[in-house]
Amino acid sequence: MKSHTLDSIKISAGFWKELSQLNIPAHDVVRKSRLPLTILSGTNGVTTAQYFALLQTLSEMVDDPATSIIKSMTDLETTQLSPSVLAAYHARNYRDALHRISRYKQMCAPQSIHITEKGELCTIEQEWLYAEQPEPPMLVGVSLAFLLELGRRGAGHSLTAYAVEFTGQMSNVQVLEAYFGCHIRLGAERNRLTLHRSDLNCPFISYNAELLEILTPALDRSLDEQQRSNSITEMVKWIMKRSLAAGRPDIQIVASELGMSDRTLQRRLTDLGTSFKQLLTEARHVKALEYLADPMLDLKEVAFLLGYEDQSSFYRAFRSWEGDTPSNWRAEQLGTNPLTEDSRNMPAIH
């Protein structure tokens, strides 16, 4: 069984900043993607499906996706790189950088990067662990362009790719071919970047041994802790979500399904800095947003599916999560009338 992150992607402030530079209002992208506006706060992550929806909408809103992909690379500021990417930028050489990206990428998103060296070539493919839809063209373009840009910035000269393949279609391919320095194949079996293997030996002028001595152990510890944490918390929340409609999940039942006692489970969750109650709240919050996005479910049904004994308890919990009533939140996201729904779902007053 693979060890991977939860289906959660933290959208960086740089993403919204880039939208601003493209003169595209972030609110418009979120609304057209049919996603909750709460993701703009950056507090919670988004799922792979939500992330794909955002990038698909963005691909459709920009005038020329290919030009936007190149611009995102030329505007890339190394001073704003995350620690995991910073470690790759200051690696010993291009090969070391790529393997650091492959190792630490899973700390940022549920994604694996596969690097294969054979003969004179090196192929790089990316796998989204929870993807149910094809990867949006703009996301593919940015991801592959970044891997080449990393080599160029580190080596200090313009490396070119051997080949680039996209499973989907891309307009203005000539612009991308000029950037990658090679032919681009559309409608391929996989999204793939193929490099000249000899380029992997290029030493990085940005190599910083002292910084890596600090970053590498810290990143390795964080990755190990995250993997241990996710292996437990992911399973607990998965069991909770599956059994919510039958009532409030019981710690004894969840622990039994995990093959341990309730005391052992509680102790392990405490060691990870969380609790059964906290995970239950998180599971209910996530499922509440999913259910409310479905206009076919009324609020009474949502409360029942979340395992609340009465609708008032659901209302109070939702206010603590989102600072608003479920009906108002749904109205803002779906453009419905909250007064009409409130009149249908208002708890009875005796």
Side-chain angles (χ1 to χ4, degrees), residues 74-122:
T74 56
D75 292 346
L76 182 65
E77 298 181 19
T78 55
T79 56
Q80 296 184 356
L81 296 176
S82 65
S84 57
V85 179
L86 197 63
Y89 177 67
H90 291 292
R92 180 180 296 276
N93 55 34
Y94 196 8
R95 176 181 288 103
D96 184 23
L98 290 173
H99 282 283
R100 287 177 183 273
I101 286 289
S102 175
R103 175 166 173 75
Y104 300 129
K105 181 66 175 179
Q106 55 191 306
M107 295 175 63
C108 310
Q111 183 186 27
S112 294
I113 297 179
H114 306 290
I115 302 172
T116 304
E117 295 187 45
K118 186 176 182 179
E120 298 181 351
L121 302 176
C122 171

mmCIF file of all heavy atoms in Angstrom, residues 74-122:
data_model
loop_
_atom_site.group_PDB
_atom_site.id
_atom_site.type_symbol
_atom_site.label_atom_id
_atom_site.label_comp_id
_atom_site.label_asym_id
_atom_site.label_seq_id
_atom_site.Cartn_x
_atom_site.Cartn_y
_atom_site.Cartn_z
ATOM 1 N N THR A 74 8.652 32.583 -16.637
ATOM 2 C CA THR A 74 9.546 33.737 -16.682
ATOM 3 C C THR A 74 9.355 34.635 -15.464
ATOM 4 O O THR A 74 10.283 35.324 -15.030
ATOM 5 C CB THR A 74 9.322 34.553 -17.977
ATOM 6 O OG1 THR A 74 7.941 34.943 -18.056
ATOM 7 C CG2 THR A 74 9.667 33.726 -19.198
ATOM 8 N N ASP A 75 8.137 34.624 -14.894
ATOM 9 C CA ASP A 75 7.858 35.453 -13.712
ATOM 10 C C ASP A 75 8.178 34.736 -12.405
ATOM 11 O O ASP A 75 8.006 35.311 -11.321
ATOM 12 C CB ASP A 75 6.373 35.874 -13.699
ATOM 13 C CG ASP A 75 6.045 36.842 -14.824
ATOM 14 O OD1 ASP A 75 6.981 37.392 -15.432
ATOM 15 O OD2 ASP A 75 4.850 37.050 -15.099
ATOM 16 N N LEU A 76 8.638 33.492 -12.495
ATOM 17 C CA LEU A 76 8.900 32.701 -11.299
ATOM 18 C C LEU A 76 9.982 33.355 -10.445
ATOM 19 O O LEU A 76 11.084 33.636 -10.926
ATOM 20 C CB LEU A 76 9.340 31.286 -11.691
ATOM 21 C CG LEU A 76 9.606 30.295 -10.557
ATOM 22 C CD1 LEU A 76 8.326 30.006 -9.791
ATOM 23 C CD2 LEU A 76 10.205 29.007 -11.114
ATOM 24 N N GLU A 77 9.662 33.605 -9.177
ATOM 25 C CA GLU A 77 10.617 34.214 -8.261
ATOM 26 C C GLU A 77 11.140 33.143 -7.296
ATOM 27 O O GLU A 77 10.384 32.587 -6.503
ATOM 28 C CB GLU A 77 9.947 35.344 -7.470
ATOM 29 C CG GLU A 77 9.454 36.490 -8.351
ATOM 30 C CD GLU A 77 8.809 37.594 -7.529
ATOM 31 O OE1 GLU A 77 9.064 37.649 -6.309
ATOM 32 O OE2 GLU A 77 8.056 38.391 -8.114
ATOM 33 N N THR A 78 12.424 32.861 -7.381
ATOM 34 C CA THR A 78 13.006 31.807 -6.549
ATOM 35 C C THR A 78 12.954 32.154 -5.061
ATOM 36 O O THR A 78 12.974 31.260 -4.214
ATOM 37 C CB THR A 78 14.473 31.557 -6.953
ATOM 38 O OG1 THR A 78 15.203 32.789 -6.881
ATOM 39 C CG2 THR A 78 14.552 31.026 -8.377
ATOM 40 N N THR A 79 12.854 33.433 -4.749
ATOM 41 C CA THR A 79 12.793 33.837 -3.334
ATOM 42 C C THR A 79 11.481 33.431 -2.687
ATOM 43 O O THR A 79 11.378 33.422 -1.456
ATOM 44 C CB THR A 79 12.964 35.361 -3.202
ATOM 45 O OG1 THR A 79 11.966 36.032 -3.996
ATOM 46 C CG2 THR A 79 14.347 35.793 -3.674
ATOM 47 N N GLN A 80 10.465 33.099 -3.500
ATOM 48 C CA GLN A 80 9.167 32.732 -2.954
ATOM 49 C C GLN A 80 8.898 31.226 -3.027
ATOM 50 O O GLN A 80 7.780 30.782 -2.821
ATOM 51 C CB GLN A 80 8.055 33.489 -3.702
ATOM 52 C CG GLN A 80 8.134 34.999 -3.522
ATOM 53 C CD GLN A 80 6.983 35.729 -4.184
ATOM 54 O OE1 GLN A 80 6.141 35.128 -4.857
ATOM 55 N NE2 GLN A 80 6.918 37.039 -3.989
ATOM 56 N N LEU A 81 9.939 30.447 -3.312
ATOM 57 C CA LEU A 81 9.770 28.996 -3.396
ATOM 58 C C LEU A 81 9.531 28.402 -2.011
ATOM 59 O O LEU A 81 10.056 28.880 -1.022
ATOM 60 C CB LEU A 81 11.013 28.355 -4.024
ATOM 61 C CG LEU A 81 11.337 28.733 -5.476
ATOM 62 C CD1 LEU A 81 12.651 28.092 -5.903
ATOM 63 C CD2 LEU A 81 10.207 28.327 -6.418
ATOM 64 N N SER A 82 8.738 27.337 -1.979
ATOM 65 C CA SER A 82 8.502 26.629 -0.723
ATOM 66 C C SER A 82 9.787 25.911 -0.324
ATOM 67 O O SER A 82 10.662 25.661 -1.166
ATOM 68 C CB SER A 82 7.376 25.615 -0.903
ATOM 69 O OG SER A 82 7.770 24.602 -1.815
ATOM 70 N N PRO A 83 9.937 25.542 0.957
ATOM 71 C CA PRO A 83 11.166 24.862 1.400
ATOM 72 C C PRO A 83 11.472 23.596 0.597
ATOM 73 O O PRO A 83 12.646 23.324 0.296
ATOM 74 C CB PRO A 83 10.867 24.534 2.864
ATOM 75 C CG PRO A 83 9.926 25.616 3.296
ATOM 76 C CD PRO A 83 9.056 25.869 2.096
ATOM 77 N N SER A 84 10.426 22.825 0.240
ATOM 78 C CA SER A 84 10.666 21.586 -0.503
ATOM 79 C C SER A 84 11.228 21.859 -1.894
ATOM 80 O O SER A 84 12.092 21.131 -2.389
ATOM 81 C CB SER A 84 9.374 20.771 -0.609
ATOM 82 O OG SER A 84 8.352 21.531 -1.225
ATOM 83 N N VAL A 85 10.755 22.920 -2.544
ATOM 84 C CA VAL A 85 11.256 23.279 -3.879
ATOM 85 C C VAL A 85 12.596 23.994 -3.754
ATOM 86 O O VAL A 85 13.481 23.849 -4.601
ATOM 87 C CB VAL A 85 10.238 24.155 -4.632
ATOM 88 C CG1 VAL A 85 10.783 24.544 -6.004
ATOM 89 C CG2 VAL A 85 8.909 23.421 -4.787
ATOM 90 N N LEU A 86 12.760 24.743 -2.688
ATOM 91 C CA LEU A 86 14.018 25.452 -2.448
ATOM 92 C C LEU A 86 15.168 24.454 -2.316
ATOM 93 O O LEU A 86 16.290 24.699 -2.788
ATOM 94 C CB LEU A 86 13.902 26.302 -1.178
ATOM 95 C CG LEU A 86 14.942 27.410 -0.972
ATOM 96 C CD1 LEU A 86 14.834 28.452 -2.071
ATOM 97 C CD2 LEU A 86 14.756 28.055 0.391
ATOM 98 N N ALA A 87 14.888 23.326 -1.685
ATOM 99 C CA ALA A 87 15.912 22.289 -1.543
ATOM 100 C C ALA A 87 16.346 21.755 -2.898
ATOM 101 O O ALA A 87 17.524 21.437 -3.113
ATOM 102 C CB ALA A 87 15.386 21.153 -0.672
ATOM 103 N N ALA A 88 15.401 21.662 -3.848
ATOM 104 C CA ALA A 88 15.737 21.207 -5.195
ATOM 105 C C ALA A 88 16.533 22.271 -5.945
ATOM 106 O O ALA A 88 17.489 21.973 -6.661
ATOM 107 C CB ALA A 88 14.457 20.869 -5.959
ATOM 108 N N TYR A 89 16.163 23.523 -5.776
ATOM 109 C CA TYR A 89 16.839 24.621 -6.471
ATOM 110 C C TYR A 89 18.304 24.735 -6.037
ATOM 111 O O TYR A 89 19.170 25.101 -6.832
ATOM 112 C CB TYR A 89 16.101 25.932 -6.184
ATOM 113 C CG TYR A 89 16.744 27.160 -6.800
ATOM 114 C CD1 TYR A 89 16.792 27.339 -8.180
ATOM 115 C CD2 TYR A 89 17.323 28.128 -5.984
ATOM 116 C CE1 TYR A 89 17.395 28.461 -8.746
ATOM 117 C CE2 TYR A 89 17.920 29.252 -6.530
ATOM 118 C CZ TYR A 89 17.958 29.413 -7.914
ATOM 119 O OH TYR A 89 18.546 30.523 -8.459
ATOM 120 N N HIS A 90 18.586 24.401 -4.794
ATOM 121 C CA HIS A 90 19.954 24.498 -4.290
ATOM 122 C C HIS A 90 20.655 23.139 -4.265
ATOM 123 O O HIS A 90 21.635 22.950 -3.532
ATOM 124 C CB HIS A 90 19.953 25.110 -2.886
ATOM 125 C CG HIS A 90 19.569 26.562 -2.872
ATOM 126 N ND1 HIS A 90 20.357 27.546 -3.421
ATOM 127 C CD2 HIS A 90 18.453 27.189 -2.410
ATOM 128 C CE1 HIS A 90 19.757 28.723 -3.277
ATOM 129 N NE2 HIS A 90 18.610 28.529 -2.665
ATOM 130 N N ALA A 91 20.160 22.185 -5.062
ATOM 131 C CA ALA A 91 20.737 20.844 -5.116
ATOM 132 C C ALA A 91 22.115 20.869 -5.783
ATOM 133 O O ALA A 91 22.535 21.866 -6.378
ATOM 134 C CB ALA A 91 19.806 19.912 -5.880
ATOM 135 N N ARG A 92 22.795 19.725 -5.707
ATOM 136 C CA ARG A 92 24.147 19.636 -6.266
ATOM 137 C C ARG A 92 24.123 19.722 -7.792
ATOM 138 O O ARG A 92 24.955 20.403 -8.403
ATOM 139 C CB ARG A 92 24.812 18.326 -5.826
ATOM 140 C CG ARG A 92 26.234 18.137 -6.355
ATOM 141 C CD ARG A 92 26.819 16.813 -5.871
ATOM 142 N NE ARG A 92 26.951 16.798 -4.421
ATOM 143 C CZ ARG A 92 27.993 17.322 -3.772
ATOM 144 N NH1 ARG A 92 28.973 17.908 -4.441
ATOM 145 N NH2 ARG A 92 28.061 17.260 -2.456
ATOM 146 N N ASN A 93 23.184 19.003 -8.425
ATOM 147 C CA ASN A 93 23.078 19.030 -9.883
ATOM 148 C C ASN A 93 21.622 18.776 -10.281
ATOM 149 O O ASN A 93 20.747 18.623 -9.414
ATOM 150 C CB ASN A 93 24.014 18.009 -10.537
ATOM 151 C CG ASN A 93 23.802 16.590 -10.000
ATOM 152 O OD1 ASN A 93 22.688 16.195 -9.667
ATOM 153 N ND2 ASN A 93 24.885 15.816 -9.909
ATOM 154 N N TYR A 94 21.357 18.715 -11.587
ATOM 155 C CA TYR A 94 19.983 18.577 -12.083
ATOM 156 C C TYR A 94 19.364 17.263 -11.633
ATOM 157 O O TYR A 94 18.196 17.207 -11.253
ATOM 158 C CB TYR A 94 19.996 18.680 -13.611
ATOM 159 C CG TYR A 94 18.664 18.944 -14.259
ATOM 160 C CD1 TYR A 94 17.514 19.259 -13.523
ATOM 161 C CD2 TYR A 94 18.532 18.899 -15.651
ATOM 162 C CE1 TYR A 94 16.295 19.506 -14.141
ATOM 163 C CE2 TYR A 94 17.317 19.158 -16.277
ATOM 164 C CZ TYR A 94 16.206 19.454 -15.526
ATOM 165 O OH TYR A 94 14.998 19.707 -16.147
ATOM 166 N N ARG A 95 20.134 16.183 -11.658
ATOM 167 C CA ARG A 95 19.600 14.879 -11.232
ATOM 168 C C ARG A 95 19.189 14.936 -9.758
ATOM 169 O O ARG A 95 18.105 14.486 -9.379
ATOM 170 C CB ARG A 95 20.640 13.784 -11.446
ATOM 171 C CG ARG A 95 20.181 12.408 -10.941
ATOM 172 C CD ARG A 95 21.234 11.323 -11.149
ATOM 173 N NE ARG A 95 21.357 10.955 -12.568
ATOM 174 C CZ ARG A 95 22.344 11.351 -13.367
ATOM 175 N NH1 ARG A 95 23.323 12.128 -12.880
ATOM 176 N NH2 ARG A 95 22.391 10.961 -14.622
ATOM 177 N N ASP A 96 20.058 15.482 -8.934
ATOM 178 C CA ASP A 96 19.765 15.611 -7.506
ATOM 179 C C ASP A 96 18.509 16.450 -7.299
ATOM 180 O O ASP A 96 17.653 16.123 -6.469
ATOM 181 C CB ASP A 96 20.967 16.253 -6.804
ATOM 182 C CG ASP A 96 20.794 16.349 -5.294
ATOM 183 O OD1 ASP A 96 20.003 15.568 -4.725
ATOM 184 O OD2 ASP A 96 21.446 17.216 -4.677
ATOM 185 N N ALA A 97 18.364 17.517 -8.064
ATOM 186 C CA ALA A 97 17.197 18.401 -7.946
ATOM 187 C C ALA A 97 15.905 17.664 -8.278
ATOM 188 O O ALA A 97 14.902 17.773 -7.556
ATOM 189 C CB ALA A 97 17.360 19.608 -8.861
ATOM 190 N N LEU A 98 15.917 16.912 -9.367
ATOM 191 C CA LEU A 98 14.714 16.189 -9.786
ATOM 192 C C LEU A 98 14.307 15.141 -8.753
ATOM 193 O O LEU A 98 13.116 14.966 -8.472
ATOM 194 C CB LEU A 98 14.939 15.532 -11.148
ATOM 195 C CG LEU A 98 15.050 16.481 -12.345
ATOM 196 C CD1 LEU A 98 15.435 15.705 -13.605
ATOM 197 C CD2 LEU A 98 13.729 17.222 -12.565
ATOM 198 N N HIS A 99 15.281 14.464 -8.184
ATOM 199 C CA HIS A 99 14.951 13.443 -7.192
ATOM 200 C C HIS A 99 14.460 14.066 -5.880
ATOM 201 O O HIS A 99 13.638 13.472 -5.176
ATOM 202 C CB HIS A 99 16.156 12.532 -6.953
ATOM 203 C CG HIS A 99 16.351 11.515 -8.037
ATOM 204 N ND1 HIS A 99 15.581 10.378 -8.143
ATOM 205 C CD2 HIS A 99 17.189 11.487 -9.108
ATOM 206 C CE1 HIS A 99 15.952 9.671 -9.205
ATOM 207 N NE2 HIS A 99 16.932 10.325 -9.806
ATOM 208 N N ARG A 100 14.921 15.259 -5.569
ATOM 209 C CA ARG A 100 14.401 15.959 -4.391
ATOM 210 C C ARG A 100 12.955 16.386 -4.636
ATOM 211 O O ARG A 100 12.105 16.279 -3.745
ATOM 212 C CB ARG A 100 15.273 17.166 -4.057
ATOM 213 C CG ARG A 100 16.617 16.805 -3.445
ATOM 214 C CD ARG A 100 17.487 18.030 -3.204
ATOM 215 N NE ARG A 100 18.792 17.663 -2.688
ATOM 216 C CZ ARG A 100 19.071 17.487 -1.401
ATOM 217 N NH1 ARG A 100 18.128 17.671 -0.490
ATOM 218 N NH2 ARG A 100 20.281 17.145 -1.014
ATOM 219 N N ILE A 101 12.673 16.862 -5.839
ATOM 220 C CA ILE A 101 11.291 17.221 -6.180
ATOM 221 C C ILE A 101 10.399 15.991 -6.082
ATOM 222 O O ILE A 101 9.290 16.036 -5.536
ATOM 223 C CB ILE A 101 11.223 17.806 -7.612
ATOM 224 C CG1 ILE A 101 11.784 19.233 -7.640
ATOM 225 C CG2 ILE A 101 9.784 17.803 -8.127
ATOM 226 C CD1 ILE A 101 10.921 20.261 -6.961
ATOM 227 N N SER A 102 10.870 14.876 -6.591
ATOM 228 C CA SER A 102 10.091 13.634 -6.557
ATOM 229 C C SER A 102 9.803 13.201 -5.120
ATOM 230 O O SER A 102 8.691 12.777 -4.797
ATOM 231 C CB SER A 102 10.852 12.528 -7.291
ATOM 232 O OG SER A 102 10.181 11.293 -7.186
ATOM 233 N N ARG A 103 10.794 13.326 -4.241
ATOM 234 C CA ARG A 103 10.628 12.883 -2.855
ATOM 235 C C ARG A 103 9.707 13.804 -2.063
ATOM 236 O O ARG A 103 8.823 13.339 -1.334
ATOM 237 C CB ARG A 103 11.989 12.805 -2.154
ATOM 238 C CG ARG A 103 11.889 12.473 -0.664
ATOM 239 C CD ARG A 103 13.213 12.083 -0.070
ATOM 240 N NE ARG A 103 13.150 11.924 1.381
ATOM 241 C CZ ARG A 103 12.592 10.888 2.004
ATOM 242 N NH1 ARG A 103 12.021 9.919 1.304
ATOM 243 N NH2 ARG A 103 12.588 10.815 3.334
ATOM 244 N N TYR A 104 9.889 15.102 -2.209
ATOM 245 C CA TYR A 104 9.171 16.043 -1.351
ATOM 246 C C TYR A 104 7.859 16.554 -1.940
ATOM 247 O O TYR A 104 7.102 17.229 -1.242
ATOM 248 C CB TYR A 104 10.076 17.222 -1.006
ATOM 249 C CG TYR A 104 11.334 16.824 -0.266
ATOM 250 C CD1 TYR A 104 12.587 17.241 -0.702
ATOM 251 C CD2 TYR A 104 11.262 16.006 0.858
ATOM 252 C CE1 TYR A 104 13.744 16.859 -0.027
ATOM 253 C CE2 TYR A 104 12.408 15.616 1.538
ATOM 254 C CZ TYR A 104 13.649 16.040 1.083
ATOM 255 O OH TYR A 104 14.787 15.654 1.757
ATOM 256 N N LYS A 105 7.589 16.237 -3.211
ATOM 257 C CA LYS A 105 6.353 16.713 -3.832
ATOM 258 C C LYS A 105 5.127 16.240 -3.067
ATOM 259 O O LYS A 105 4.133 16.957 -2.932
ATOM 260 C CB LYS A 105 6.277 16.212 -5.285
ATOM 261 C CG LYS A 105 5.039 16.676 -6.050
ATOM 262 C CD LYS A 105 5.058 18.174 -6.259
ATOM 263 C CE LYS A 105 3.901 18.621 -7.119
ATOM 264 N NZ LYS A 105 3.893 20.097 -7.323
ATOM 265 N N GLN A 106 5.185 15.035 -2.543
ATOM 266 C CA GLN A 106 4.036 14.460 -1.849
ATOM 267 C C GLN A 106 3.691 15.211 -0.568
ATOM 268 O O GLN A 106 2.627 15.020 0.007
ATOM 269 C CB GLN A 106 4.296 12.992 -1.535
ATOM 270 C CG GLN A 106 5.581 12.742 -0.758
ATOM 271 C CD GLN A 106 5.953 11.284 -0.684
ATOM 272 O OE1 GLN A 106 5.156 10.454 -0.258
ATOM 273 N NE2 GLN A 106 7.161 10.950 -1.089
ATOM 274 N N MET A 107 4.586 16.095 -0.098
ATOM 275 C CA MET A 107 4.281 16.894 1.068
ATOM 276 C C MET A 107 3.316 18.030 0.718
ATOM 277 O O MET A 107 2.656 18.577 1.594
ATOM 278 C CB MET A 107 5.568 17.493 1.657
ATOM 279 C CG MET A 107 6.538 16.467 2.194
ATOM 280 S SD MET A 107 8.101 17.207 2.749
ATOM 281 C CE MET A 107 7.515 18.252 4.079
ATOM 282 N N CYS A 108 3.265 18.390 -0.562
ATOM 283 C CA CYS A 108 2.441 19.514 -1.015
ATOM 284 C C CYS A 108 1.132 19.080 -1.651
ATOM 285 O O CYS A 108 0.135 19.803 -1.597
ATOM 286 C CB CYS A 108 3.216 20.366 -2.016
ATOM 287 S SG CYS A 108 4.866 20.851 -1.467
ATOM 288 N N ALA A 109 1.133 17.918 -2.277
ATOM 289 C CA ALA A 109 -0.061 17.466 -3.006
ATOM 290 C C ALA A 109 -0.036 15.946 -3.125
ATOM 291 O O ALA A 109 1.036 15.333 -3.077
ATOM 292 C CB ALA A 109 -0.093 18.103 -4.405
ATOM 293 N N PRO A 110 -1.219 15.317 -3.298
ATOM 294 C CA PRO A 110 -1.273 13.859 -3.473
ATOM 295 C C PRO A 110 -0.835 13.477 -4.889
ATOM 296 O O PRO A 110 -1.634 13.112 -5.740
ATOM 297 C CB PRO A 110 -2.751 13.537 -3.223
ATOM 298 C CG PRO A 110 -3.465 14.785 -3.640
ATOM 299 C CD PRO A 110 -2.562 15.919 -3.268
ATOM 300 N N GLN A 111 0.448 13.600 -5.137
ATOM 301 C CA GLN A 111 0.995 13.413 -6.478
ATOM 302 C C GLN A 111 2.339 12.710 -6.387
ATOM 303 O O GLN A 111 3.138 12.966 -5.482
ATOM 304 C CB GLN A 111 1.159 14.780 -7.160
ATOM 305 C CG GLN A 111 1.650 14.729 -8.586
ATOM 306 C CD GLN A 111 1.920 16.125 -9.134
ATOM 307 O OE1 GLN A 111 2.227 17.045 -8.377
ATOM 308 N NE2 GLN A 111 1.791 16.295 -10.432
ATOM 309 N N SER A 112 2.592 11.802 -7.323
ATOM 310 C CA SER A 112 3.877 11.115 -7.399
ATOM 311 C C SER A 112 4.563 11.492 -8.703
ATOM 312 O O SER A 112 3.905 11.670 -9.733
ATOM 313 C CB SER A 112 3.693 9.596 -7.345
ATOM 314 O OG SER A 112 3.186 9.192 -6.094
ATOM 315 N N ILE A 113 5.875 11.630 -8.652
ATOM 316 C CA ILE A 113 6.673 11.914 -9.848
ATOM 317 C C ILE A 113 7.592 10.731 -10.097
ATOM 318 O O ILE A 113 8.360 10.329 -9.213
ATOM 319 C CB ILE A 113 7.493 13.208 -9.671
ATOM 320 C CG1 ILE A 113 6.547 14.400 -9.491
ATOM 321 C CG2 ILE A 113 8.412 13.439 -10.869
ATOM 322 C CD1 ILE A 113 7.260 15.715 -9.281
ATOM 323 N N HIS A 114 7.497 10.155 -11.292
ATOM 324 C CA HIS A 114 8.281 8.975 -11.640
ATOM 325 C C HIS A 114 9.386 9.365 -12.616
ATOM 326 O O HIS A 114 9.116 9.912 -13.690
ATOM 327 C CB HIS A 114 7.385 7.907 -12.259
ATOM 328 C CG HIS A 114 6.195 7.555 -11.413
ATOM 329 N ND1 HIS A 114 6.309 6.864 -10.224
ATOM 330 C CD2 HIS A 114 4.867 7.822 -11.571
ATOM 331 C CE1 HIS A 114 5.104 6.700 -9.695
ATOM 332 N NE2 HIS A 114 4.216 7.288 -10.484
ATOM 333 N N ILE A 115 10.619 9.086 -12.241
ATOM 334 C CA ILE A 115 11.790 9.425 -13.056
ATOM 335 C C ILE A 115 12.451 8.134 -13.517
ATOM 336 O O ILE A 115 12.793 7.269 -12.700
ATOM 337 C CB ILE A 115 12.792 10.267 -12.248
ATOM 338 C CG1 ILE A 115 12.121 11.549 -11.724
ATOM 339 C CG2 ILE A 115 14.015 10.612 -13.094
ATOM 340 C CD1 ILE A 115 12.976 12.327 -10.756
ATOM 341 N N THR A 116 12.619 7.989 -14.837
ATOM 342 C CA THR A 116 13.222 6.776 -15.399
ATOM 343 C C THR A 116 14.381 7.148 -16.311
ATOM 344 O O THR A 116 14.204 7.889 -17.284
ATOM 345 C CB THR A 116 12.195 5.968 -16.202
ATOM 346 O OG1 THR A 116 11.059 5.669 -15.373
ATOM 347 C CG2 THR A 116 12.806 4.667 -16.706
ATOM 348 N N GLU A 117 15.557 6.661 -15.990
ATOM 349 C CA GLU A 117 16.733 6.881 -16.831
ATOM 350 C C GLU A 117 17.027 5.606 -17.621
ATOM 351 O O GLU A 117 17.144 4.522 -17.044
ATOM 352 C CB GLU A 117 17.936 7.254 -15.974
ATOM 353 C CG GLU A 117 17.796 8.587 -15.251
ATOM 354 C CD GLU A 117 19.071 9.009 -14.536
ATOM 355 O OE1 GLU A 117 20.154 8.895 -15.156
ATOM 356 O OE2 GLU A 117 18.994 9.430 -13.362
ATOM 357 N N LYS A 118 17.114 5.761 -18.925
ATOM 358 C CA LYS A 118 17.388 4.605 -19.779
ATOM 359 C C LYS A 118 18.125 5.070 -21.027
ATOM 360 O O LYS A 118 17.653 5.958 -21.730
ATOM 361 C CB LYS A 118 16.079 3.904 -20.160
ATOM 362 C CG LYS A 118 16.283 2.614 -20.935
ATOM 363 C CD LYS A 118 14.955 1.919 -21.196
ATOM 364 C CE LYS A 118 15.158 0.597 -21.925
ATOM 365 N NZ LYS A 118 13.867 -0.106 -22.178
ATOM 366 N N GLY A 119 19.258 4.450 -21.272
ATOM 367 C CA GLY A 119 20.041 4.837 -22.435
ATOM 368 C C GLY A 119 20.485 6.286 -22.328
ATOM 369 O O GLY A 119 21.043 6.703 -21.312
ATOM 370 N N GLU A 120 20.205 7.068 -23.354
ATOM 371 C CA GLU A 120 20.619 8.465 -23.381
ATOM 372 C C GLU A 120 19.504 9.405 -22.926
ATOM 373 O O GLU A 120 19.666 10.620 -22.961
ATOM 374 C CB GLU A 120 21.067 8.852 -24.799
ATOM 375 C CG GLU A 120 22.271 8.062 -25.292
ATOM 376 C CD GLU A 120 22.689 8.482 -26.684
ATOM 377 O OE1 GLU A 120 21.934 9.266 -27.316
ATOM 378 O OE2 GLU A 120 23.761 8.054 -27.136
ATOM 379 N N LEU A 121 18.370 8.823 -22.493
ATOM 380 C CA LEU A 121 17.213 9.660 -22.169
ATOM 381 C C LEU A 121 16.744 9.481 -20.723
ATOM 382 O O LEU A 121 17.013 8.461 -20.088
ATOM 383 C CB LEU A 121 16.055 9.338 -23.124
ATOM 384 C CG LEU A 121 16.327 9.519 -24.613
ATOM 385 C CD1 LEU A 121 15.120 9.073 -25.426
ATOM 386 C CD2 LEU A 121 16.680 10.968 -24.927
ATOM 387 N N CYS A 122 16.023 10.473 -20.248
ATOM 388 C CA CYS A 122 15.385 10.431 -18.928
ATOM 389 C C CYS A 122 13.949 10.886 -19.100
ATOM 390 O O CYS A 122 13.691 12.002 -19.584
ATOM 391 C CB CYS A 122 16.112 11.352 -17.953
ATOM 392 S SG CYS A 122 15.255 11.562 -16.371
#
